[in-house]
Amino acid sequence: MAVRQHPVAGAALWMAAALVSFILMAVSGRELAASFSTFQILLIRSVIGVLLIGGLVWLTGWQQLRTHRVKAHLGRNIAHFAGQYGWFYGLGLISLAEVIALEFTTPVWTALLAALVLGERLTAPRWLALLFGIGGLLLILRPGAGVMHPAALAVLAGAMGYAAAYIFTKSLSGTDTPLCILFYMTLMQLPMSLIPLSLLPDQPQWVMPQGELWVWMLLVGVTAMSAHYCMTKAFQLADAGVVVPLDFLRLPLIAVVGFVFYGEALDVWVLLGALLMFGGNLINLRAEWRRQRA
């Protein structure tokens, strides 16, 4: 007799796979940053993504790629490409924990953009999450303390790009399938990385990977797709109030990875800032859950 798995347990397993994917993607980006430009890393990621998502679309049906919202897809992918650039650029210059902590400001910018663009109401819990998020950001960056790195600002700008991409995704999800959105993401972002790599004189030209670098290249492309797929599956099985707190486990896990493999110090200010942002997000998520139940 088969034992039926509880949905929350299934969501936890999918999130465990997502966490492994995110950590492997961060480590792969760090390993590649020493040898390749950010644009080349993004180019390889897009090529692998096109092959993977194209294979899934071939199995499930090409008709789902029909869309009348090409401009929305383009806007989403410009914003998402900017987010990816800031994230991968920061991986080579600041600690892994700081990159992940700054990425966690994305919900703050998403809430602000949703209010400005979509007209969503900023409730008291959302304001509290915003204030906690800004407070956490100030703890991490510590402006005036002489520790702010330009790469941290690039990651922060990348988080804003992710927020804009989420707003477009929310709009597109009402008319297009997830595979359709992912397919156009990889297809449109491929030339976005190829053109600067080919034309900008101050950009390093193409460098052919050698040896184990091919493994890191393959990992960065595969995990970029698997991370988002696993997280989507987790959201299908459990509420955001369950899934999002699990995602915040990325910070202590990546901090341990940075400490063990790269000798990065465990910065208490980064951990405190991320904990403050997590607290704000958790308060907001609990309030949204209660509102939906009511």
Side-chain angles (χ1 to χ4, degrees):
M1 181 177 178
V3 178
R4 187 175 181 181
Q5 187 181 58
H6 193 280
V8 173
L13 289 174
W14 280 111
M15 275 307 298
L19 290 171
V20 171
S21 296
F22 277 123
I23 290 171
L24 285 175
M25 182 167 58
V27 172
S28 300
R30 166 63 63 84
E31 293 293 326
L32 293 171
S35 304
F36 307 100
S37 70
T38 304
F39 284 120
Q40 182 170 346
I41 296 172
L42 292 177
L43 175 62
I44 294 296
R45 173 189 172 280
S46 293
V47 170
I48 295 173
V50 167
L51 295 175
L52 288 175
I53 302 302
L56 288 174
V57 172
W58 181 72
L59 292 173
T60 57
W62 292 96
Q63 68 278 1
Q64 63 186 299
L65 298 184
R66 294 174 183 169
T67 181
H68 61 280
R69 306 188 63 188
V70 176
K71 289 183 180 179
H73 280 285
L74 181 61
R76 178 193 181 277
N77 287 302
I78 290 173
H80 191 266
F81 183 82
Q84 288 282 289
Y85 183 88
W87 195 80
F88 277 104
Y89 178 77
L91 283 175
L93 297 171
I94 58 178
S95 72
L96 295 174
E98 191 171 0
V99 170
I100 300 302
L102 289 171
E103 183 195 347
F104 284 155
T105 63
T106 299
V108 175
W109 314 123
T110 304
L112 286 174
L113 283 175
L116 293 173
V117 178
L118 301 179
E120 292 188 0
R121 189 167 63 92
L122 283 174
T123 60
R126 290 179 183 179
W127 275 113
L128 196 59
L130 288 174
L131 292 175
F132 275 43
I134 293 171
L137 176 63
L138 292 176
L139 282 177
I140 294 168
L141 293 180
R142 280 163 290 160
V147 295
M148 189 183 300
H149 196 288
L153 298 180
V155 177
L156 184 61
M160 297 178 185
Y162 283 140
Y166 288 156
I167 297 300
F168 278 108
T169 302
K170 183 172 182 179
S171 174
L172 284 166
S173 62
T175 57
D176 295 357
T177 67
L179 274 182
C180 176
I181 295 172
L182 283 174
F183 180 81
Y184 285 111
M185 179 188 80
T186 55
L187 188 65
M188 288 183 172
Q189 289 187 28
L190 197 154
M192 290 180 190
S193 51
L194 181 60
I195 293 172
L197 187 65
S198 304
L199 299 180
L200 293 181
D202 58 339
Q203 284 294 320
Q205 297 303 303
W206 174 270
V207 177
M208 183 60 67
Q210 301 292 332
E212 67 177 18
L213 292 176
W214 280 111
V215 177
W216 295 118
M217 280 286 188
L218 184 61
L219 265 178
V220 83
V222 172
T223 54
M225 298 296 109
S226 63
H228 291 94
Y229 179 80
C230 292
M231 184 171 281
T232 300
K233 295 291 291 185
F235 274 115
Q236 289 176 343
L237 293 172
D239 292 335
V242 174
V243 175
V244 173
L246 291 173
D247 186 36
F248 269 86
L249 289 173
R250 264 197 290 160
L251 181 60
L253 290 174
I254 202 69
V256 170
V257 169
F259 175 76
V260 172
F261 293 100
Y262 298 104
E264 296 176 354
L266 298 175
D267 192 335
V268 65
W269 293 106
V270 172
L271 297 176
L272 286 175
L275 186 62
L276 192 60
M277 288 188 288
F278 169 71
N281 282 324
L282 189 59
I283 291 171
N284 183 41
L285 285 168
R286 287 176 64 87
E288 291 293 325
W289 182 79
R290 290 196 186 105
R291 183 181 64 83
Q292 292 176 8
R293 287 291 296 269

